[in-house]
Amino acid sequence: MRTDTSPGALPARAPLALVPGEPVLDVVIPVFNEEKDLGPCVRRLHEHLTRTFPYPFRITVADNASTDRTPEVAHGLASVLDGVRSIRLEEKGRGRALRQVWSASDAPVLAYMDVDLSTDLNALLPLVAPLISGHSDLAIGTRLARSSRVVRGAKREFISRAYNLLLRSSLAARFSDAQCGFKAIRREVAERLLPLVEDTGWFFDTELLVLAERAGLRIHEVPVDWVDDPDSTVHIVRTATEDLKGVWRVGRALAVGALPLDRLARPFGDDPRDRSVLPEVESGLARQLLGFCAVGALSTVLYLLLYSAFRAGTGPQFANGAALLLSAIANTAANRRLTFGVRGRDRAVRHQAQGLVVFGIGLALTSGSLAALGAATADPAHSTELAVLITANLAATVLRFLLFRAWVFPERRDTPVNVKDDIR
């Protein structure tokens, strides 16, 4: 049993010592220009907590530099509803709002939810109960559990599942839904975890969960019923770009051991599997990233040379397809041997076939980019074509690594055969 009692270590997890009259739960609602939805949201949440939550609570509206009437609405709600307060921030960023409110709160359990209340509020008590009892350190709602009931469009469903696949493949995450705006954390955990989280925007949730999981903290998942808000103001492309940057930054920090996760260690109650598995994950991921980047750089040079050669006598689409096909075959072969350490001819044909599927995705991205460029201008310059293709290939490269690692060359854990048992 681990007996780490260093000053920075978390105390042993235990049921909360409740203080009569003081809030047990502080629910934060980050908002930006939500003058229309804020009032109905807070009133509905306040009524639900008053009726179902057995302890004192607080609702905090965190205004992220709104430019409409949101601050006035928040102030009005705080003046007429007991246990409601509003805080104004002069800079945008959901992560920034949560960090500021959680850091200053005196409630032992801290939570947040989106203002659209897409998540059924009946999941709120199951979310925070394991934190109050001392069972868990953090809790998240998940829309990807089999028992969850979710209503949303195919595009958002694909984006959500693809993002969580990315986290599992690149950061070895085991939690199922990083993006659901329905989470809670114990205050003593937040006090030690928040200083390690750099992001101030939408990636804040993911970074928080990854660091907590890597430190061996317990994350409780609650299946939720969730209905998509068609009027959501989230900018999908910008958010996805920032998330990819965050994944790369956190993955690199974990790979080189730059994060002092020992500050979050508990004397006992952590997951013993983390202590034996994570060092291998981090070193393996670092080696694979370096190998993949080296192979990718050489493949990109090969692709551009081939494209320029083919482009001299053919159209851009054929030149792109031919150059991408040849460089993809070479890329798969090089990554198979150098990045993922697969040798011999076993499954070589299968790996190349899977690599061609990945190539197809890259072709769709780059061809779509060329088509968009052609629609924008009738006769684009050759340098412009190359710039567009380089940008599209960067996006395809990230996806290629994830698919290679999770699907084409997944880690194999073969169990050795006991010769004596086999003879028997």
Side-chain angles (χ1 to χ4, degrees):
M1 180 179 295
R2 190 172 181 173
T3 58
D4 182 6
T5 57
S6 61
L10 282 166
R13 196 186 300 113
L16 297 177
L18 306 181
V19 179
E22 294 190 5
V24 172
L25 173 67
D26 193 348
V27 182
V28 183
I29 304 176
V31 291
F32 173 73
N33 289 350
E34 297 286 356
E35 61 180 4
K36 178 181 176 182
D37 295 332
L38 181 57
C41 163
V42 172
R43 293 180 185 277
R44 180 181 164 196
L45 175 61
H46 187 272
E47 187 277 331
H48 177 83
L49 287 171
T50 302
R51 178 171 46 86
T52 65
F53 195 67
Y55 306 106
F57 64 85
R58 179 192 298 133
I59 299 173
T60 301
V61 179
D63 174 30
N64 283 169
S66 295
T67 56
D68 63 358
R69 294 185 59 255
T70 296
E72 301 173 30
V73 175
H75 181 73
L77 292 167
S79 64
V80 299
L81 295 176
D82 291 337
V84 175
R85 65 171 179 167
S86 64
I87 293 179
R88 168 76 175 182
L89 286 83
E90 297 304 328
E91 294 183 88
K92 290 180 62 176
R94 182 178 67 174
R96 178 178 288 107
L98 293 176
R99 182 197 308 277
Q100 179 166 324
V101 178
W102 282 356
S103 298
S105 179
D106 57 351
V109 176
L110 312 169
Y112 95 88
M113 62 181 60
D114 293 334
V115 69
D116 56 18
L117 292 186
S118 295
T119 306
D120 185 4
L121 291 178
N122 287 324
L124 182 55
L125 185 55
L127 183 81
V128 301
L131 308 186
I132 295 174
S133 68
H135 174 273
S136 301
D137 299 295
L138 301 91
I140 65 173
T142 175
R143 300 161 295 184
L144 302 182
R146 290 187 178 181
S147 56
S148 299
R149 299 180 180 90
V150 177
V151 179
R152 62 177 166 181
K155 180 175 73 172
R156 285 186 175 270
E157 180 76 13
F158 172 79
I159 291 173
S160 179
R161 292 189 178 274
Y163 182 64
N164 284 282
L165 174 62
L166 182 153
L167 296 180
R168 288 177 176 271
S169 302
S170 60
L171 299 179
R174 296 197 295 266
F175 49 84
S176 64
D177 192 350
Q179 294 175 310
C180 183
F182 197 69
K183 296 182 176 68
I185 186 172
R186 285 174 64 113
R187 186 181 64 198
E188 74 269 17
V189 176
E191 288 173 349
R192 292 164 173 80
L193 187 57
L194 291 179
L196 303 180
V197 179
E198 294 185 18
D199 193 79
T200 59
W202 290 97
F203 187 70
F204 174 89
D205 301 46
T206 301
E207 187 170 356
L208 185 84
L209 292 173
V210 169
L211 299 186
E213 187 175 72
R214 288 302 186 96
L217 303 184
R218 178 170 290 169
I219 301 173
H220 180 73
E221 298 197 3
V222 177
V224 298
D225 298 339
W226 195 83
V227 179
D228 187 22
D229 177 16
D231 298 324
S232 173
T233 58
V234 177
H235 193 290
I236 295 178
V237 175
R238 182 170 62 244
T239 301
T241 301
E242 294 302 317
D243 285 346
L244 289 175
K245 293 179 181 178
V247 169
W248 171 258
R249 174 176 55 78
V250 172
R252 182 177 58 184
L254 290 171
V256 300
L259 293 169
L261 298 180
D262 56 325
R263 294 182 190 175
L264 305 176
R266 288 192 179 278
F268 54 85
D270 55 339
D271 189 342
R273 293 173 297 178
D274 291 326
R275 295 193 292 272
S276 60
V277 173
L278 290 181
E280 297 177 6
V281 172
E282 293 168 3
S283 61
L285 176 61
R287 178 183 56 78
Q288 290 176 356
L289 280 172
L290 290 175
F292 184 81
C293 289
V295 172
L298 294 175
S299 298
T300 301
V301 173
L302 176 62
Y303 163 79
L304 294 174
L305 290 175
L306 290 172
Y307 177 81
S308 297
F310 289 136
R311 187 66 178 88
T314 62
Q317 292 290 3
F318 179 84
N320 173 60
L324 198 57
L325 175 61
L326 293 177
S327 61
I329 293 174
N331 181 279
T332 300
N335 275 307
R336 183 177 187 268
R337 180 177 180 85
L338 301 177
T339 303
F340 298 96
V342 180
R343 304 179 185 277
R345 297 182 179 179
D346 182 36
R347 298 187 298 172
V349 175
R350 176 183 174 182
H351 290 157
Q352 279 293 348
Q354 291 173 307
L356 288 177
V357 173
V358 179
F359 149 77
I361 297 174
L363 179 62
L365 285 172
T366 52
S367 296
S369 300
L370 284 175
L373 178 62
T377 176
D379 187 23
H382 182 63
S383 59
T384 305
E385 286 184 355
L386 289 180
V388 169
L389 288 171
I390 290 173
T391 303
N393 266 284
L394 288 175
T397 297
V398 174
L399 185 58
R400 187 182 305 126
F401 175 73
L402 299 177
L403 290 175
F404 273 173
R405 194 167 192 263
W407 179 49
V408 183
F409 307 110
E411 183 179 359
R412 300 178 64 184
R413 292 182 173 86
D414 299 328
T415 302
V417 177
N418 189 309
V419 177
K420 293 183 180 179
D421 292 341
D422 190 57
I423 294 175
R424 293 191 192 121

